[in-house]
Amino acid sequence: MTLIMPTEKQKHYSTCTLCEAMCGIEVTTQDRNILSIVGDKANPFSEGHVCPKAMALKDLYEDPERIRTPIEKTAEGGWQEVSWDYALDKVATNLFDIQQKHGVESVATYLGNPNAHNMGSILFGPYFYRSLKSHNRYSATSVDQLPHHIVSRQLFGHQSQIPIPDIDHTQHFMIIGGNPLASNGSIMTVPHIKRRLKAIQARGGKVVVIDPKKSETADMSSEHHFIKPGTDALLMLAMIHTLFDKQLIAADALLGFAADLLSVEKYVVDYPPKRVANLTGMSESQIIALVESFCAAGPAVCYGRMGASVQAFGTLTQYLIMLFNMLTGNLDRQGGMMFTQPAADLLPHSGRGSIANFFTRVRNLPAFAGEFPVSALAEEMLTDGEGQIKAIVIGAGNPILTTPNGQQLDKAFENLDFVVAVDFYITETSRHADIILPPVTALERDHYDIVFHNFAVRNSTKFSPAIFPPAETTKTDWQIYLGLAERLDKLNGLPTDKYQTLWQKEPKGVVDDLLKSGRYRHEGEVLSIDLLLKKPHGIDLGPLQPDLPEAIYHNDKKIDLSFDYFMADLTRLDKHFFASEFSISEASGLATDESLQLIGRRHLKTNNSWLHNSQRMVKGTNNGWSRCTAQIHPDDASKHNIQDQQLITVTSRVGKVTLPAEITEKIMPGVISIPHGWGHNKKGSQWHTAEQHAGVSVNDLTDEMVIDELSGNAVLNGVPVTIEAA
Ligand SMILES: Nc1nc2c(c(=O)[nH]1)N[C@H]1C(S)=C(S)[C@@H](COP(=O)(O)OP(=O)(O)OC[C@H]3O[C@@H](n4cnc5c(=O)[nH]c(N)nc54)[C@H](O)[C@@H]3O)O[C@H]1N2
Ligand SMILES: Nc1nc2c(c(=O)[nH]1)N[C@H]1C(S)=C(S)[C@@H](COP(=O)(O)OP(=O)(O)OC[C@H]3O[C@@H](n4cnc5c(=O)[nH]c(N)nc54)[C@H](O)[C@@H]3O)O[C@H]1N2
Ligand code: SF4
Ligand SMILES: [Mo]
């Protein structure tokens, strides 16, 4: 008998990749086991902060239901393990054959949120999509931040040049449709959000939250104002109107970059606060006071996120928020909205974002940056004809739970000839796959945050090498994508010489090049992966700095306010809000006096659809329903004769779901809130803990036919629904 002695415990310094906050973590391991994960106190950026989700990294790593080897569906519908070579060959050959038979457009891709946290997918995934040559590309962007990209593309010339709230220096932080206390911040990489918000208040500043729900963030804010879902564009128009009306414009410093800034006035004259008061649910005096206190604060920032983006006028709203910051002199000002100066800057090397240069086949929806709105995905699968989607590759996404009208999409998947999932779970979506290609989890791969360093509230840099050396039998996302790309190019008779270089370079080689050609030195040394390996806690590169005009990607180094593009949407807005009652209900589906407006919410222990197989993340929740409840106001409950915890049926144009009511004063009357990412009760998915806390999918209610027409972004907030006792 041989005794295998455990090796010494080891401490590793790494990064949590679950949300955008980039917290530094200290991971204690022994052999290939994780003993603990705690905050890395020596990390200069996150200073020891972690949230309860950090431990989910251990749960994911250990989860016996996580797939570790490629699997193929058998004729009987079961799964069998196959080798990587077999799986990659078969995927490439089938995709090639389908494209030969039905044309290049017949193969679609959908990329989910975790790709943004994965430098391998970001840097090497594109080789695969390009080798497919299909325009049928979709991602979670169009159920999320698409408006931000379009605004930045037009104004600053690059889709990813998005300014960030300078939270550590602001005196007034206005949050419209964000709940960073639950989400830990979005398009604002900010560990320790609570401490930072408290610091604003401690230095005499204010945190102001505008939200149809008195959220966790609203609970600790200086002021919270209810707003009716989907009316933020009206509020912003009235706020800008007030700036002109009360002569509060302070834009001198920006006129050199945007000479026509003051012409905004002519677009807002028709929207005095009085006119939007009823529609927004905010009084005239409330709106005027909001603006006056913002302008009196010194450095101030107005920040709009998810809640403000995934609504019928989300793009217009984000545009108006940017104009508001500019007109009050808060763009590129310390304590306002500022551009980060990342150490590894991908922007100069990546697409600036093409707008509406091609359109979907069925509904003629515009592409942005080479991607179609995901609201069009199901119809492109279901509608016969040339260009119909016959196969799809899903990379790190679960669109059946996360995109509008999930049930229709679920059915549409059954129509397909071939489905591939790059995922390590058998989810509601990947259960449709013919082959699943499972990458390793985050702690088993090298990590440099190539996206979120660009959205961080301080400039910083950190490289985290894989904690566990790769096993012979595992692959990371980039190895999967590169393997597929090389095979497809070979099948298409294209040269494949470049791949040899790429296999050797690896994504970290690309980051190394970016660091070396970047703007920073550390103690006189050029930044590089080698240098960062010696600094496992990361390096702080200081607070955000004014960066105009350098931050602008337009050739003339001027901000292009693109009035014609954005303000044209005011016609649709007027029709939607100010035309007769008839056209209001027509525009929003099924709105009647009886209907409630559906919105979403996040909880600290969720991550979209995929952390519910961790017992730690779902425990302590009610009656097997988990946290998936329908929050309604007591007035609406009594109107419909509904008791707390009673099961209710919620119905929209596209579907109905039944779940417990949670009666709370924290929600605005007339509004109902249901979180997304639940509904783990579909036959064939394999996460048994999640199944015990199944909940329902709110996206069985959201409507793929109602979109923000300017961007094609989904409308997940302000969906008209009716309720009744079940
Ligand atoms: N109603 C409503 N719907 C929403 C939202 C809302 O607020 N309300 N929010 C929207 C938003 S903001 C987003 S971003 C989307 C998210 O939507 P999606 O990206 O479609 O869904 P996720 O739940 O993030 O699914 C991620 C999948 O990737 C897998 N995965 C995790 N890590 C990795 C990895 O490293 N590699 C690979 N290959 N796979 C991995 C997981 O197992 C999981 O199956 O949901 C959107 N849907
Ligand atoms: N714990 C946890 N953290 C996460 C995620 C997660 O699933 N769980 N997901 C991550 C992802 S992918 C993203 S994109 C970010 C999103 O992060 P955030 O942008 O902070 O999004 P939410 O937490 O959903 O907060 C949105 C807020 O908007 C409000 N709202 C809804 N409709 C409207 C409206 O019409 N107008 C206004 N003004 N407000 C409205 C909601 O009530 C809610 O409080 O979070 C990330 N972090
Ligand atoms: S806040 Fe985000 S990055 Fe930090 S530990 Fe929690 S999930 Fe991870
Ligand atoms: Mo997101």
Side-chain angles (χ1 to χ4, degrees), residues 126 338 530 553 557 705:
M338 301 191 81
D530 282 342
Y553 275 76
K557 291 281 167 200
M705 294 306 286

Side-chain angles (χ1 to χ4, degrees), residues 276-288:
V276 307
N278 269 341
L279 289 161
T280 56
M282 292 174 70
S283 70
E284 180 185 17
S285 57
Q286 219 178 345
I287 297 174
I288 294 171

Side-chain angles (χ1 to χ4, degrees), residues 281-304:
M282 292 174 70
S283 70
E284 180 185 17
S285 57
Q286 219 178 345
I287 297 174
I288 294 171
L290 268 184
V291 176
E292 285 176 338
S293 92
F294 188 97
C295 294
V301 62
C302 177
Y303 157 81

